[in-house]
Coordinates of all heavy atoms in Angstrom, one line a residue:
P1 N 12.7 -2.6 1.0 CA 13.0 -1.2 0.6 C 12.3 -0.8 -0.6 O 11.9 -1.6 -1.4 CB 14.5 -1.2 0.3 CG 14.8 -2.6 0.0 CD 13.8 -3.5 0.8
L2 N 12.1 0.5 -0.8 CA 11.4 1.0 -1.9 C 12.4 1.0 -3.1 O 13.5 1.5 -3.0 CB 10.9 2.5 -1.7 CG 10.3 3.2 -2.8 CD1 9.0 2.5 -3.3 CD2 10.0 4.6 -2.4
L3 N 12.0 0.4 -4.2 CA 12.9 0.3 -5.4 C 12.4 1.3 -6.4 O 11.2 1.4 -6.6 CB 12.9 -1.1 -6.0 CG 13.4 -2.2 -5.1 CD1 13.3 -3.5 -5.8 CD2 14.9 -1.9 -4.7
A4 N 13.3 2.0 -7.0 CA 13.0 3.0 -8.1 C 13.7 2.4 -9.3 O 14.9 2.6 -9.5 CB 13.4 4.4 -7.8
I5 N 12.9 1.7 -10.2 CA 13.5 1.1 -11.4 C 13.0 1.8 -12.6 O 11.8 1.9 -12.9 CB 13.2 -0.4 -11.4 CG1 13.8 -1.1 -10.2 CG2 13.7 -1.0 -12.7 CD1 13.3 -2.5 -10.0
E6 N 13.9 2.3 -13.4 CA 13.6 2.9 -14.7 C 14.1 1.9 -15.8 O 15.2 1.5 -15.8 CB 14.2 4.3 -14.9 CG 13.6 5.0 -16.1 CD 13.7 6.5 -16.0 OE1 13.8 7.0 -14.8 OE2 13.6 7.1 -17.0
I7 N 13.2 1.6 -16.8 CA 13.6 0.7 -17.9 C 13.8 1.5 -19.2 O 12.9 2.3 -19.5 CB 12.5 -0.4 -18.0 CG1 12.4 -1.2 -16.7 CG2 12.9 -1.3 -19.2 CD1 11.3 -2.1 -16.7
K8 N 14.9 1.3 -19.8 CA 15.2 2.1 -21.0 C 15.5 1.1 -22.2 O 16.1 0.0 -21.9 CB 16.5 2.9 -20.9 CG 16.4 4.0 -19.8 CD 15.5 5.1 -20.2 CE 15.5 6.2 -19.3 NZ 14.5 7.3 -19.6
A9 N 15.1 1.4 -23.4 CA 15.4 0.5 -24.5 C 16.8 0.8 -25.0 O 17.4 -0.1 -25.7 CB 14.4 0.8 -25.7
S10 N 17.4 1.9 -24.6 CA 18.7 2.3 -25.1 C 19.8 1.3 -24.6 O 19.7 0.6 -23.6 CB 19.1 3.7 -24.6 OG 20.4 4.0 -24.8
T11 N 21.0 1.3 -25.3 CA 22.1 0.6 -24.9 C 23.1 1.5 -24.1 O 24.0 1.0 -23.4 CB 22.9 0.0 -26.0 OG1 23.3 1.0 -26.9 CG2 22.1 -1.1 -26.7
T12 N 22.8 2.8 -24.1 CA 23.7 3.7 -23.5 C 23.0 4.9 -22.8 O 23.2 6.1 -23.3 CB 24.8 4.3 -24.5 OG1 24.1 4.9 -25.6 CG2 25.7 3.2 -25.0
P13 N 22.2 4.7 -21.8 CA 21.5 5.8 -21.2 C 22.6 6.7 -20.6 O 23.7 6.3 -20.2 CB 20.7 5.1 -20.0 CG 20.6 3.7 -20.4 CD 21.8 3.4 -21.3
D14 N 22.3 8.0 -20.6 CA 23.2 9.0 -20.1 C 22.5 10.0 -19.1 O 21.4 9.7 -18.7 CB 23.9 9.8 -21.2 CG 22.9 10.5 -22.1 OD1 21.8 10.9 -21.6 OD2 23.2 10.8 -23.3
K15 N 23.2 11.0 -18.7 CA 22.7 11.9 -17.6 C 21.3 12.5 -17.9 O 20.5 12.6 -17.0 CB 23.7 13.1 -17.4 CG 24.9 12.7 -16.7 CD 25.8 13.9 -16.3 CE 26.9 13.5 -15.5 NZ 27.0 14.2 -14.2
K16 N 21.0 12.8 -19.2 CA 19.7 13.3 -19.5 C 18.6 12.3 -19.3 O 17.4 12.6 -19.1 CB 19.7 13.9 -20.9 CG 19.7 12.9 -22.0 CD 19.6 13.7 -23.3 CE 19.6 12.8 -24.5 NZ 20.2 11.5 -24.5
D17 N 19.0 11.0 -19.3 CA 18.0 10.0 -19.1 C 17.6 9.7 -17.7 O 16.7 8.9 -17.4 CB 18.5 8.6 -19.7 CG 18.6 8.7 -21.3 OD1 17.6 9.2 -21.9 OD2 19.6 8.4 -21.8
V18 N 18.4 10.3 -16.7 CA 18.1 10.1 -15.3 C 17.5 11.3 -14.6 O 17.3 11.2 -13.4 CB 19.4 9.6 -14.5 CG1 19.9 8.3 -15.1 CG2 20.4 10.7 -14.5
I19 N 17.1 12.3 -15.3 CA 16.5 13.5 -14.7 C 15.3 13.2 -13.9 O 15.2 13.6 -12.8 CB 16.3 14.6 -15.8 CG1 17.6 15.1 -16.4 CG2 15.5 15.7 -15.2 CD1 17.4 15.9 -17.6
S20 N 14.3 12.4 -14.5 CA 13.1 12.2 -13.8 C 13.3 11.2 -12.6 O 12.7 11.3 -11.6 CB 12.0 11.6 -14.7 OG 12.4 10.4 -15.3
L21 N 14.2 10.3 -12.8 CA 14.6 9.3 -11.7 C 15.2 10.1 -10.5 O 14.9 9.9 -9.4 CB 15.5 8.2 -12.2 CG 15.9 7.1 -11.2 CD1 14.6 6.5 -10.6 CD2 16.7 6.1 -11.9
K22 N 16.1 11.0 -10.8 CA 16.7 11.8 -9.8 C 15.7 12.7 -9.1 O 15.7 12.9 -7.8 CB 17.8 12.7 -10.3 CG 19.1 11.8 -10.7 CD 20.2 12.6 -11.3 CE 20.9 13.4 -10.3 NZ 22.0 14.1 -10.9
Q23 N 14.7 13.2 -9.8 CA 13.6 14.0 -9.2 C 12.8 13.1 -8.2 O 12.5 13.5 -7.1 CB 12.7 14.6 -10.2 CG 11.5 15.3 -9.7 CD 11.9 16.5 -8.9 OE1 12.8 17.2 -9.2 NE2 11.2 16.8 -7.8
F24 N 12.5 11.9 -8.6 CA 11.8 10.9 -7.8 C 12.6 10.7 -6.5 O 12.1 10.7 -5.4 CB 11.5 9.6 -8.5 CG 10.9 8.6 -7.7 CD1 9.5 8.6 -7.5 CD2 11.6 7.6 -7.0 CE1 8.9 7.6 -6.7 CE2 11.0 6.6 -6.3 CZ 9.6 6.7 -6.1
L25 N 13.9 10.5 -6.7 CA 14.8 10.2 -5.5 C 14.9 11.4 -4.5 O 15.0 11.2 -3.3 CB 16.2 9.8 -6.0 CG 16.3 8.5 -6.8 CD1 17.7 8.4 -7.4 CD2 15.9 7.3 -5.9
S26 N 14.8 12.6 -5.1 CA 14.8 13.8 -4.2 C 13.6 13.8 -3.3 O 13.6 14.4 -2.2 CB 14.9 15.1 -5.0 OG 13.7 15.4 -5.6
E27 N 12.5 13.2 -3.7 CA 11.2 13.2 -2.9 C 11.1 11.8 -2.1 O 10.2 11.7 -1.3 CB 10.1 13.3 -3.9 CG 10.1 14.7 -4.6 CD 9.1 14.8 -5.7 OE1 8.3 13.9 -5.9 OE2 9.1 15.8 -6.4
N28 N 11.9 10.8 -2.5 CA 11.8 9.5 -1.8 C 13.2 9.1 -1.4 O 13.9 8.3 -2.1 CB 11.2 8.5 -2.8 CG 9.8 8.9 -3.1 OD1 8.9 8.5 -2.4 ND2 9.6 9.6 -4.2
L29 N 13.7 9.7 -0.3 CA 15.1 9.6 0.0 C 15.6 8.1 0.3 O 16.8 7.8 0.2 CB 15.4 10.5 1.2 CG 15.1 12.0 1.0 CD1 15.4 12.7 2.3 CD2 16.0 12.5 -0.1
N30 N 14.7 7.3 0.7 CA 15.1 5.9 1.0 C 15.0 4.9 -0.1 O 15.3 3.7 0.0 CB 14.2 5.4 2.2 CG 14.5 6.1 3.5 OD1 15.6 6.5 3.8 ND2 13.4 6.4 4.3
A31 N 14.6 5.4 -1.3 CA 14.5 4.5 -2.5 C 15.8 4.1 -3.0 O 16.8 4.9 -3.0 CB 13.7 5.3 -3.6
K32 N 15.9 2.9 -3.5 CA 17.1 2.4 -4.1 C 16.9 2.4 -5.6 O 16.1 1.7 -6.1 CB 17.4 1.0 -3.6 CG 17.8 0.9 -2.2 CD 18.0 -0.6 -1.8 CE 19.3 -1.0 -2.4 NZ 19.8 -2.3 -1.9
P33 N 17.7 3.3 -6.3 CA 17.5 3.4 -7.8 C 18.2 2.4 -8.6 O 19.4 2.0 -8.3 CB 18.0 4.9 -8.0 CG 19.1 5.0 -7.0 CD 18.7 4.2 -5.8
F34 N 17.7 2.1 -9.7 CA 18.3 1.3 -10.8 C 17.8 1.7 -12.1 O 16.6 2.1 -12.3 CB 18.0 -0.2 -10.6 CG 18.5 -0.8 -9.3 CD1 17.7 -0.8 -8.2 CD2 19.8 -1.3 -9.2 CE1 18.2 -1.4 -7.0 CE2 20.3 -1.9 -8.0 CZ 19.5 -1.9 -6.9
I35 N 18.6 1.5 -13.1 CA 18.2 1.6 -14.5 C 18.5 0.2 -15.1 O 19.6 -0.3 -15.1 CB 18.9 2.7 -15.3 CG1 18.6 4.1 -14.7 CG2 18.6 2.6 -16.8 CD1 19.3 5.2 -15.3
F36 N 17.5 -0.4 -15.8 CA 17.6 -1.6 -16.5 C 17.6 -1.2 -18.0 O 16.7 -0.5 -18.4 CB 16.5 -2.6 -16.2 CG 16.5 -3.1 -14.8 CD1 15.4 -3.9 -14.4 CD2 17.5 -2.8 -13.9 CE1 15.4 -4.4 -13.1 CE2 17.4 -3.3 -12.6 CZ 16.4 -4.1 -12.2
C37 N 18.5 -1.7 -18.8 CA 18.5 -1.4 -20.2 C 19.2 -2.5 -21.0 O 19.5 -3.5 -20.5 CB 19.1 0.0 -20.4 SG 20.8 0.0 -20.0
N38 N 19.5 -2.2 -22.3 CA 20.1 -3.1 -23.2 C 21.6 -2.9 -23.2 O 22.3 -3.3 -24.2 CB 19.5 -2.9 -24.6 CG 18.1 -3.5 -24.7 OD1 17.9 -4.6 -24.2 ND2 17.2 -2.8 -25.2
T39 N 22.2 -2.3 -22.2 CA 23.6 -2.2 -22.2 C 24.3 -3.5 -22.1 O 23.8 -4.4 -21.4 CB 24.1 -1.2 -21.0 OG1 25.5 -1.0 -21.1 CG2 23.8 -1.9 -19.7
P40 N 25.5 -3.7 -22.7 CA 26.2 -5.0 -22.6 C 26.9 -5.2 -21.2 O 27.2 -6.3 -20.8 CB 27.2 -4.9 -23.7 CG 27.4 -3.5 -24.0 CD 26.1 -2.8 -23.7
R41 N 27.2 -4.1 -20.5 CA 27.8 -4.2 -19.2 C 27.4 -3.1 -18.2 O 27.0 -2.0 -18.7 CB 29.3 -4.2 -19.3 CG 29.9 -3.0 -19.9 CD 31.5 -3.1 -20.0 NE 32.0 -2.1 -20.8 CZ 32.2 -2.2 -22.1 NH1 32.0 -3.3 -22.7 NH2 32.7 -1.2 -22.8
A42 N 27.5 -3.4 -17.0 CA 27.0 -2.5 -15.9 C 27.9 -1.2 -15.8 O 29.1 -1.3 -16.0 CB 27.0 -3.2 -14.6
Y43 N 27.3 -0.1 -15.5 CA 28.1 1.1 -15.2 C 27.1 2.0 -14.3 O 26.1 1.5 -13.9 CB 28.5 1.9 -16.4 CG 27.4 2.3 -17.4 CD1 27.0 3.7 -17.4 CD2 26.9 1.5 -18.3 CE1 26.1 4.1 -18.2 CE2 25.9 1.9 -19.2 CZ 25.5 3.3 -19.1 OH 24.5 3.7 -20.0
S44 N 27.5 3.2 -14.0 CA 26.6 4.0 -13.2 C 26.6 5.5 -13.7 O 27.6 5.9 -14.4 CB 27.0 4.0 -11.7 OG 28.3 4.7 -11.6
I45 N 25.5 6.1 -13.5 CA 25.4 7.5 -13.8 C 25.0 8.3 -12.5 O 24.0 8.0 -11.9 CB 24.2 7.7 -14.9 CG1 24.5 7.0 -16.1 CG2 24.0 9.2 -15.2 CD1 23.3 6.9 -17.1
D46 N 25.9 9.2 -12.1 CA 25.6 9.9 -10.9 C 25.3 9.0 -9.7 O 24.4 9.3 -8.9 CB 24.5 11.0 -11.1 CG 24.9 12.1 -12.0 OD1 26.1 12.3 -12.3 OD2 24.0 12.8 -12.6
G47 N 26.0 7.9 -9.6 CA 25.7 7.0 -8.5 C 24.6 6.0 -8.7 O 24.3 5.2 -7.8
I48 N 23.8 6.1 -9.8 CA 22.7 5.3 -10.1 C 23.2 4.1 -10.9 O 23.7 4.3 -12.0 CB 21.6 6.0 -10.8 CG1 21.1 7.2 -10.0 CG2 20.4 5.1 -11.2 CD1 20.1 8.1 -10.7
P49 N 23.0 2.8 -10.4 CA 23.5 1.7 -11.2 C 22.7 1.5 -12.5 O 21.5 1.6 -12.5 CB 23.2 0.5 -10.3 CG 23.1 1.1 -8.9 CD 22.5 2.5 -9.1
V50 N 23.4 1.3 -13.6 CA 22.8 1.0 -14.9 C 23.2 -0.4 -15.2 O 24.4 -0.7 -15.3 CB 23.4 2.0 -16.0 CG1 22.8 1.7 -17.3 CG2 23.1 3.4 -15.6
L51 N 22.2 -1.3 -15.4 CA 22.5 -2.7 -15.5 C 21.9 -3.3 -16.8 O 20.8 -2.8 -17.1 CB 21.9 -3.5 -14.3 CG 22.4 -3.0 -12.9 CD1 21.6 -3.7 -11.8 CD2 23.9 -3.4 -12.7
P52 N 22.5 -4.3 -17.4 CA 21.8 -5.0 -18.4 C 20.5 -5.6 -17.8 O 20.5 -6.0 -16.6 CB 22.8 -6.2 -18.8 CG 24.1 -5.7 -18.3 CD 23.8 -4.8 -17.1
W53 N 19.4 -5.5 -18.5 CA 18.1 -5.8 -17.9 C 18.1 -7.2 -17.2 O 17.5 -7.4 -16.2 CB 17.0 -5.6 -18.8 CG 16.9 -6.5 -20.0 CD1 17.5 -6.4 -21.2 CD2 16.3 -7.8 -20.0 NE1 17.2 -7.4 -22.0 CE2 16.4 -8.3 -21.3 CE3 15.5 -8.6 -19.1 CZ2 15.9 -9.6 -21.7 CZ3 15.0 -9.8 -19.5 CH2 15.2 -10.3 -20.8
Q54 N 18.8 -8.2 -17.9 CA 18.8 -9.5 -17.3 C 19.5 -9.6 -16.0 O 19.1 -10.2 -15.0 CB 19.4 -10.6 -18.3 CG 18.8 -10.7 -19.6 CD 19.4 -9.7 -20.6 OE1 20.0 -8.7 -20.3 NE2 19.3 -10.1 -21.9
E55 N 20.6 -8.9 -15.9 CA 21.4 -8.8 -14.7 C 20.7 -8.0 -13.6 O 20.7 -8.4 -12.4 CB 22.8 -8.1 -15.0 CG 23.7 -8.0 -13.8 CD 25.0 -7.3 -14.1 OE1 25.4 -7.3 -15.2 OE2 25.6 -6.8 -13.1
G56 N 20.0 -7.0 -14.0 CA 19.2 -6.2 -13.1 C 18.1 -7.0 -12.4 O 17.9 -7.0 -11.2
I57 N 17.4 -7.8 -13.2 CA 16.3 -8.6 -12.6 C 16.9 -9.6 -11.7 O 16.4 -9.8 -10.6 CB 15.5 -9.3 -13.8 CG1 14.7 -8.3 -14.5 CG2 14.7 -10.4 -13.2 CD1 14.0 -8.8 -15.8
S58 N 18.0 -10.3 -12.1 CA 18.5 -11.3 -11.2 C 19.2 -10.7 -9.9 O 19.1 -11.3 -8.8 CB 19.5 -12.2 -11.9 OG 20.6 -11.5 -12.3
T59 N 19.8 -9.5 -10.1 CA 20.4 -8.9 -8.9 C 19.4 -8.3 -7.9 O 19.4 -8.6 -6.7 CB 21.3 -7.7 -9.4 OG1 22.3 -8.2 -10.2 CG2 21.9 -7.0 -8.2
V60 N 18.4 -7.6 -8.4 CA 17.5 -6.9 -7.6 C 16.4 -7.8 -7.0 O 16.1 -7.7 -5.8 CB 16.8 -5.7 -8.3 CG1 15.6 -5.1 -7.6 CG2 17.8 -4.7 -8.7
F61 N 16.0 -8.8 -7.8 CA 14.9 -9.7 -7.3 C 15.4 -11.1 -7.0 O 14.6 -11.9 -6.6 CB 13.8 -9.8 -8.4 CG 13.2 -8.5 -8.7 CD1 13.5 -7.8 -9.9 CD2 12.3 -7.9 -7.8 CE1 12.9 -6.5 -10.2 CE2 11.7 -6.6 -8.1 CZ 12.0 -6.0 -9.2
D62 N 16.7 -11.3 -7.0 CA 17.3 -12.6 -6.7 C 16.7 -13.7 -7.5 O 16.4 -14.8 -6.9 CB 17.3 -12.8 -5.2 CG 18.3 -13.9 -4.8 OD1 19.3 -14.1 -5.5 OD2 18.1 -14.6 -3.8
I63 N 16.5 -13.5 -8.8 CA 15.9 -14.5 -9.7 C 17.0 -14.9 -10.7 O 17.6 -14.0 -11.3 CB 14.7 -13.9 -10.4 CG1 13.6 -13.5 -9.4 CG2 14.1 -14.9 -11.4 CD1 12.4 -12.7 -10.0
K64 N 17.2 -16.1 -10.8 CA 18.2 -16.6 -11.8 C 17.5 -17.0 -13.1 O 16.5 -17.7 -13.1 CB 18.9 -17.8 -11.2 CG 19.6 -17.6 -9.9 CD 20.6 -16.5 -10.0 CE 21.2 -16.2 -8.6 NZ 21.6 -14.8 -8.4
A65 N 17.9 -16.4 -14.2 CA 17.3 -16.6 -15.5 C 17.8 -17.9 -16.1 O 18.8 -18.5 -15.7 CB 17.7 -15.5 -16.4

């Protein structure tokens, strides 16, 4: 599948941080979106998973750190 991964330095990305990712998704309907960042725990924004970057890498790429 096509992955759409946005990487943020922030610990708390919010709705304004997913505007360009949502635009990409509107043009690529089969893409699976993720945000990797410095958050201490996973959450979602408008259905887009926001993951601690280490968890994101191991989850999406099935790589154990």
Side-chain angles (χ1 to χ4, degrees):
L2 177 62
L3 299 175
I5 299 171
E6 189 155 341
I7 299 170
K8 300 286 188 186
S10 172
T11 57
T12 56
D14 59 24
K15 284 187 178 238
K16 72 179 182 328
D17 293 312
V18 299
I19 293 170
S20 60
L21 184 55
K22 288 176 74 173
Q23 177 62 39
F24 178 84
L25 294 172
S26 74
E27 298 168 6
N28 297 274
L29 301 177
N30 294 324
K32 292 180 69 169
F34 296 93
I35 295 175
F36 296 172
C37 63
N38 288 312
T39 187
R41 63 180 163 267
Y43 62 99
S44 68
I45 301 171
D46 292 342
I48 299 171
V50 178
L51 303 170
W53 68 268
Q54 301 93 331
E55 181 181 335
I57 289 171
S58 64
T59 298
V60 172
F61 298 106
D62 198 26
I63 298 170
K64 304 301 177 209

